[in-house]
Amino acid sequence: MKPKQQRLILAILALVAVVGAGLLAAAALRDQAAYFYTPSEAKAATITPGEAARLGGMVEVGTLRQDADGLTILFSLTDGKASVPVRYTGIVPDLFAEGSGAVADGQFNADGTFVAEKILAKHDERYMPPQMGEMPEHLTDTVVDGGAPVAPTAAATAPARAPGQ
């Protein structure tokens, strides 16, 4: 076999391997990927019941109620244009409340109800991690305001004292 034919065979084998890896990756992602819908998009779209989806919006005020079993909650997610009823069984995050943002992972039923398997509560844009509360004030001002660096204060530039001084 000539070297030119060997290179051609290697190139074809490499191409087959790359295409095979791509097909395997696409098949694996199909089971894991979930399309994100807002309530108005979900109402307008034709969604196959049982298909994995993610629904995000605000928990509509006055719709949150607990089922008799104590673990199942029913509420509606809204984007201001449409609302979708959601059913969830489990423990909700601490930040979950009426009027707050939430994202639900799950699937739609044939009747249009979204059955959530996981609820993620959103915090507002002013959220700061608890560790930020322990930082000196002049540093948190810079981070929170996002402005130019703040000149160090006299207390921050003073030399450290040894214990007992």
Side-chain angles (χ1 to χ4, degrees), residues 93-115:
D94 291 338
L95 297 174
F96 183 82
E98 288 184 338
S100 66
V103 175
D105 281 340
Q107 57 194 355
F108 284 93
N109 272 349
D111 65 355
T113 301
F114 190 81
V115 179

Side-chain angles (χ1 to χ4, degrees), residues 21-91:
L23 290 175
L24 287 174
L29 286 176
R30 185 182 319 165
D31 293 338
Q32 299 296 322
Y35 190 78
F36 181 85
Y37 293 98
T38 63
S40 56
E41 289 173 343
K43 291 280 186 183
T46 305
I47 302 170
T48 306
E51 179 180 321
R54 185 173 272 192
L55 181 68
M58 301 295 287
V59 178
E60 195 169 7
V61 176
T63 62
L64 181 62
R65 59 189 165 93
Q66 194 169 21
D67 212 3
D69 65 1
L71 282 177
T72 302
I73 59 169
L74 306 164
F75 59 96
S76 291
L77 282 177
T78 184
D79 60 357
K81 299 173 189 167
S83 63
V84 174
V86 178
R87 171 186 293 269
Y88 175 70
T89 302
I91 299 172

Side-chain angles (χ1 to χ4, degrees), residues 113-130:
T113 301
F114 190 81
V115 179
E117 297 167 357
K118 186 163 109 182
I119 298 286
L120 303 170
K122 290 182 176 178
H123 55 75
D124 66 4
E125 66 277 353
R126 294 173 291 163
Y127 171 77
M128 285 186 7

